[in-house]
Amino acid sequence: MKIQKVFYVLILAIVLSCGGSDTPVPAPPTPNPPTAPKTYTDSEILEMVQKDALKYFWDFAESNSKLARERYHTDEPGADASTISTGASGFGMMTLLVGIKNGYIPRAEAVSRLTAALNFLYKAERFHGAWPHWIDGNSGKAKPFSTFDNGGDLVETAFLAQGLICVREYFKNSTDSGEITLSKKADDLWKDIEWSWYTQGQNVLYWHWSPDYNFQMNHKLQGYDETLITYVLAAASPNHSINKSVYTEGWLRNGTIKSFSSQYGIPVVVNHNGASGTVGPLFFSHYSFLGLDPRGLSDEYVNYGDVTVNHTKIQYQYAVANPKNWLGYNSKNWGLTASYSRNVDGSTGYSAHQPLNDLGVISPTAAISSLPYTPAESMNYLRFLYNENYSRYIGVAGPYDAYSIHYNWVTPRYLGIDQGTISPMIENYKSAFLWNLFMNAPDVKNGLLKLGFHSSRYGF
């Protein structure tokens, strides 16, 4: 029966093709063309990603303190809802300043939010002036990050203080009494940090102190990693300053911070902690540099403009070379840093991704926050996200924290410290806004001069 039906169809086709009928054959219907993805201009993308990142600190802030939550999971919104991240809160303050400057949020409402946040910090538990890594948003008490890490965290405090100084500088010349009060409160909070106490009387800064375990964690701050800002602020402190020898022997390791290795023909410049001969995760060149401008900034051993640019270019070249043959790594899709990660069983974990710890996972904050260092390469990545993969990798507060093309995996989650570098670094690329605020602060300049820094950008 099926053969006979096919035969009749063939006969009909022959008759019609020979003009055996005067009736025209209707053309087959034209299928609806597929909807093309929206193509945004570069300026549109930059504004979109800044507004998206702002949402994390505006729409999803910790409800009581108005500070930054440690994390926000779209698949589990209540996770750690009252856990405040101290470092991310400093980045969030800088993100809000960008929002005010660009008109993304109402100035008066932002001032009210910042005032509430600083009032909370004023009452929150501190340890020789330093805040803990995590703060309970309801009580203001320290929330242990680990067994021995239940007291002061000097590095997270430095990230917060970087934001406080920018808040102070932005509002200090205002004619509005509320803004002047806000500026003064930011100044008081920063000046109360007892940086020198965290040396234990030695020529190095220590990361942690606990009221229960003292300095048992014994974590020295030595370069190169994300902690440079801690030494700069410790030297800049009007009330609790360190000597230059603490910086020279601690951070600079008496000159052994310098590296003479290279990758892809690019000098590494400094020895990256945990990445012998190559470079570490990109947050090393982000967290300290939201306010601290590395361009033309050098001490007696290191040019930090070279460090940050070369760090990023090496990571970019690593993705292009793709030595582990991960699906999806290329000139459009690159950037390794600490973020959520994919466990071997497909669940979500956490890892500090870098060339020596490459799990096939890309963290959007890595390439985006490197925009001032690699504008062409970072912009190409942003086009990849917003023009080619918007529905896959962009959520309610901007790019999701991590994904892997190789494993067809994405986590619909955010970490405050990762979202917090995005808008400030884009703004520094566009206008040097936060760099100018921070670097022109008189106490910051004094601290840099004390440590022997020179800046071709800021005339010292």
Side-chain angles (χ1 to χ4, degrees):
M1 188 69 180
K2 186 179 292 184
I3 295 173
Q4 188 178 33
K5 187 177 293 184
V6 171
F7 175 76
Y8 283 132
V9 169
L10 288 172
I11 293 295
L12 179 60
I14 293 169
V15 170
L16 291 175
S17 65
C18 294
S21 169
D22 294 329
T23 305
V25 179
T30 303
N32 293 326
T35 303
K38 170 71 174 175
T39 300
Y40 299 101
T41 66
D42 290 356
S43 60
E44 287 175 330
I45 292 173
L46 292 179
E47 182 169 326
M48 288 171 69
V49 72
Q50 282 190 295
K51 287 181 175 179
D52 284 346
L54 173 62
K55 291 175 186 175
Y56 186 91
F57 304 98
W58 191 255
D59 296 344
F60 303 109
E62 197 280 319
S63 59
N64 182 48
S65 66
K66 308 307 178 188
L67 292 164
R69 287 175 57 168
E70 166 68 13
R71 66 190 88 247
Y72 179 74
H73 297 173
T74 63
D75 57 346
E76 191 185 0
D80 290 331
S82 62
T83 301
I84 295 166
S85 166
T86 296
S89 293
F91 298 169
M93 290 175 191
M94 299 167 92
T95 299
L96 261 61
L97 293 180
V98 173
I100 296 169
K101 170 187 176 290
N102 291 339
Y104 301 155
I105 49 178
R107 183 182 179 104
E109 190 173 344
V111 168
S112 177
R113 288 271 197 113
L114 287 166
T115 300
L118 268 56
N119 286 340
F120 180 90
L121 288 170
Y122 187 79
K123 298 175 183 178
E125 190 171 20
R126 302 174 76 173
F127 305 87
H128 292 276
W131 290 274
H133 188 123
W134 284 342
I135 306 171
D136 186 299
N138 296 312
S139 67
K141 299 292 186 181
K143 184 173 181 178
F145 188 72
S146 66
T147 301
F148 302 118
D149 188 0
N150 66 342
D153 185 313
L154 197 66
V155 175
E156 292 286 313
T157 294
F159 299 153
L160 177 59
Q162 190 175 202
L164 289 171
I165 289 172
C166 287
V167 168
R168 181 195 70 186
E169 292 299 299
Y170 187 72
F171 293 109
K172 70 179 183 180
N173 295 320
S174 173
T175 57
D176 180 89
S177 61
E179 294 180 2
I180 290 294
T181 299
L182 175 61
S183 178
K184 177 67 165 57
K185 189 171 289 288
D187 187 51
D188 290 342
L189 288 168
W190 127 254
K191 286 179 178 176
D192 283 344
I193 303 165
E194 298 176 29
W195 306 92
S196 56
W197 192 83
Y198 278 79
T199 65
Q200 298 191 68
Q202 303 171 29
N203 283 334
V204 67
L205 287 170
Y206 285 83
W207 196 312
H208 312 93
W209 179 80
S210 162
D212 303 309
Y213 305 102
N214 202 12
F215 285 101
Q216 185 167 331
M217 292 190 72
N218 200 39
H219 192 147
K220 296 178 180 180
L221 305 187
Q222 297 175 303
Y224 177 75
D225 56 20
E226 74 275 27
T227 65
L228 172 61
I229 191 67
T230 317
Y231 279 94
V232 171
L233 292 176
S237 171
N239 302 330
H240 305 280
S241 187
I242 60 169
N243 297 322
K244 183 185 177 183
S245 57
V246 178
Y247 179 72
T248 303
E249 295 184 31
W251 173 260
L252 292 175
R253 302 174 187 251
N254 289 312
T256 60
I257 189 175
K258 292 177 66 174
S259 170
F260 299 95
S261 64
S262 63
Q263 294 284 303
Y264 308 103
I266 304 168
V268 175
V269 185
V270 290
N271 289 306
H272 289 236
N273 291 339
S276 180
T278 183
V279 294
L282 274 168
F283 74 86
F284 283 8
S285 291
H286 296 155
Y287 293 175
S288 282
F289 299 104
L290 300 195
L292 188 65
D293 187 349
R295 301 173 303 167
L297 184 70
S298 60
D299 58 28
E300 61 187 302
Y301 294 110
V302 179
N303 182 305
Y304 290 95
D306 293 342
V307 170
T308 52
V309 170
N310 289 13
H311 184 184
T312 314
K313 287 184 173 180
I314 289 169
Q315 277 233 16
Y316 171 79
Q317 292 297 336
Y318 173 85
V320 173
N322 193 13
K324 290 195 170 184
N325 296 313
W326 295 114
L327 182 66
Y329 277 28
N330 52 47
S331 62
K332 294 194 298 184
N333 185 49
W334 61 279
L336 306 177
T337 195
S339 71
Y340 279 128
S341 190
R342 180 189 180 277
N343 295 325
V344 292
D345 63 359
S347 61
T348 298
Y350 183 86
S351 190
H353 309 103
Q354 53 181 298
L356 295 183
N357 181 42
D358 179 11
L359 306 178
V361 173
I362 296 295
S363 312
T365 187
I368 299 173
S369 300
S370 298
L371 190 68
Y373 311 140
T374 50
E377 297 89 340
S378 294
M379 197 66 237
N380 204 28
Y381 175 73
L382 277 166
R383 295 187 201 105
F384 169 80
L385 277 187
Y386 275 78
N387 285 342
E388 299 180 35
N389 292 280
Y390 188 97
S391 62
R392 296 180 68 187
Y393 301 137
I394 310 298
V396 293
Y400 291 128
D401 197 56
Y403 63 85
S404 171
I405 292 176
H406 186 92
Y407 292 108
N408 192 28
W409 172 90
V410 61
T411 184
R413 299 177 175 184
Y414 298 96
L415 286 172
I417 206 158
D418 288 346
Q419 294 304 105
T421 57
I422 291 174
S423 184
M425 288 303 260
I426 290 176
E427 196 60 37
N428 282 333
Y429 162 74
K430 288 162 58 177
S431 67
F433 168 59
L434 293 163
W435 283 342
N436 286 333
L437 281 179
F438 187 81
M439 296 294 289
N440 286 311
D443 40 11
V444 170
K445 183 176 180 180
N446 289 338
L448 288 166
L449 288 170
K450 182 177 183 178
L451 298 181
F453 275 89
H454 298 281
S455 171
S456 61
R457 294 269 176 171
Y458 299 91
F460 61 85

